[in-house]
Coordinates of all heavy atoms in Angstrom, one line a residue:
E332 N 106.2 136.2 115.9 CA 104.7 136.5 115.9 C 104.6 137.6 114.9 O 105.4 138.4 114.7 CB 104.3 137.1 117.3 CG 104.6 136.2 118.4 CD 104.3 136.9 119.8 OE1 104.1 138.1 119.8 OE2 104.6 136.2 120.9
F333 N 103.4 137.6 114.2 CA 103.1 138.7 113.3 C 103.1 140.1 114.2 O 102.8 140.1 115.3 CB 101.6 138.6 112.9 CG 101.4 137.7 111.8 CD1 102.4 136.9 111.2 CD2 100.1 137.6 111.1 CE1 102.3 136.0 110.2 CE2 100.0 136.6 110.0 CZ 101.0 135.9 109.6
K334 N 103.7 141.1 113.5 CA 103.7 142.3 114.2 C 102.5 143.2 113.5 O 102.6 143.7 112.4 CB 105.1 143.1 113.9 CG 105.2 144.3 114.6 CD 106.6 145.0 114.3 CE 106.9 146.1 115.1 NZ 106.0 147.2 115.0
Y335 N 101.5 143.3 114.4 CA 100.2 144.0 113.9 C 100.5 145.5 114.0 O 101.0 146.1 114.9 CB 99.2 143.6 114.8 CG 98.9 142.1 114.6 CD1 99.4 141.1 115.6 CD2 98.1 141.6 113.7 CE1 99.2 139.8 115.4 CE2 97.9 140.2 113.5 CZ 98.4 139.4 114.4 OH 98.2 138.0 114.3
R339 N 99.1 149.5 121.0 CA 99.3 148.6 122.2 C 98.2 148.7 123.2 O 97.9 149.9 123.5 CB 100.6 148.8 122.7 CG 101.2 148.0 123.8 CD 101.8 146.8 123.1 NE 102.5 146.0 124.1 CZ 103.9 146.0 124.2 NH1 104.7 146.8 123.6 NH2 104.5 145.1 125.0
R354 N 99.9 152.1 125.5 CA 101.3 152.0 125.6 C 101.8 153.1 126.5 O 102.8 152.8 127.3 CB 101.9 152.1 124.2 CG 103.3 152.2 124.2 CD 103.7 152.4 122.7 NE 105.3 152.6 122.7 CZ 105.9 152.1 121.6 NH1 105.4 151.3 120.7 NH2 107.2 152.3 121.5
E384 N 97.7 143.9 121.0 CA 97.6 145.0 119.9 C 96.1 145.0 119.5 O 95.5 144.0 119.3 CB 98.5 144.7 118.8 CG 98.7 145.9 117.8 CD 99.9 146.8 118.2 OE1 100.3 146.8 119.3 OE2 100.1 147.6 117.3
F424 N 99.4 139.0 122.9 CA 100.7 138.1 122.7 C 101.3 137.9 124.0 O 102.4 137.5 124.0 CB 101.5 138.8 121.7 CG 101.6 140.3 121.9 CD1 102.4 140.9 122.9 CD2 101.0 141.2 121.0 CE1 102.5 142.4 123.0 CE2 101.1 142.6 121.1 CZ 101.9 143.1 122.1
A456 N 97.8 136.4 118.8 CA 98.7 136.7 117.7 C 99.1 135.5 117.0 O 99.3 134.4 117.6 CB 99.9 137.6 118.2
M483 N 107.6 140.1 115.2 CA 108.3 140.2 116.4 C 108.9 138.8 116.8 O 108.2 137.8 116.6 CB 107.4 140.6 117.6 CG 106.6 141.9 117.3 SD 107.7 143.3 117.4 CE 108.1 143.4 119.1
K485 N 110.7 136.7 119.8 CA 110.8 136.7 121.2 C 111.6 135.5 121.8 O 111.4 134.4 121.3 CB 109.5 136.8 122.0 CG 108.7 138.0 121.5 CD 107.4 138.1 121.9 CE 106.7 139.4 121.4 NZ 105.4 139.5 121.7
R496 N 113.9 147.5 127.0 CA 114.0 147.3 125.6 C 115.3 146.7 125.5 O 116.3 147.1 125.9 CB 114.1 148.7 124.9 CG 113.9 148.6 123.3 CD 114.3 149.9 122.7 NE 113.3 151.0 122.9 CZ 112.3 151.1 122.1 NH1 111.9 150.2 121.2 NH2 111.5 152.1 122.4
W500 N 113.3 140.8 123.0 CA 112.4 140.9 122.1 C 113.0 141.7 120.9 O 113.5 142.9 121.0 CB 111.1 141.8 122.6 CG 110.2 141.1 123.4 CD1 110.3 139.9 124.1 CD2 108.8 141.6 123.7 NE1 109.2 139.7 124.8 CE2 108.3 140.6 124.6 CE3 108.0 142.7 123.3 CZ2 107.0 140.8 125.1 CZ3 106.8 142.8 123.7 CH2 106.2 141.8 124.7
K502 N 112.4 143.2 116.8 CA 111.5 143.3 115.7 C 112.2 143.3 114.4 O 113.4 143.7 114.2 CB 110.7 144.6 115.8 CG 111.6 145.9 115.9 CD 110.8 147.1 116.3 CE 111.7 148.3 116.6 NZ 111.1 149.4 117.2
K504 N 111.5 144.2 110.4 CA 110.6 145.0 109.5 C 111.0 144.8 108.1 O 112.2 144.7 107.8 CB 110.6 146.5 110.0 CG 110.0 146.8 111.2 CD 109.8 148.3 111.4 CE 109.3 148.5 112.8 NZ 109.1 150.0 113.0
K635 N 102.5 154.5 115.2 CA 102.5 154.4 116.7 C 103.5 155.1 117.3 O 104.3 155.9 116.7 CB 102.5 152.9 117.0 CG 103.7 152.2 116.6 CD 103.8 150.7 117.1 CE 102.6 149.9 116.7 NZ 102.7 149.5 115.3
Ligands
AMP151 P1 107.8 149.5 117.4 O1 106.6 150.5 117.8 O2 108.1 149.6 116.0 O3 108.9 149.7 118.3 O4 107.2 148.1 117.7 C1 106.7 147.6 118.9 C2 105.3 147.7 118.9 O5 104.7 146.8 118.0 C3 104.6 147.3 120.2 O6 104.7 148.3 121.2 C4 103.3 146.9 119.8 O7 102.4 148.0 119.9 C5 103.4 146.3 118.4 N1 103.1 145.0 118.2 C6 102.4 144.5 117.2 N2 102.4 143.1 117.2 C7 103.1 142.8 118.2 C8 103.5 141.5 118.8 N3 103.2 140.3 118.3 N4 104.4 141.6 120.1 C9 104.7 142.7 120.4 N5 104.4 143.9 120.0 C10 103.7 144.0 118.9

Side-chain angles (χ1 to χ4, degrees):
E332 300 165 3
F333 279 5
K334 184 174 190 303
Y335 299 94
R339 188 87 173 252
R354 170 177 172 148
E384 189 87 350
F424 46 74
M483 300 292 292
K485 300 178 181 175
R496 189 194 292 280
W500 282 21
K502 56 188 170 193
K504 290 189 187 178
K635 57 173 64 75

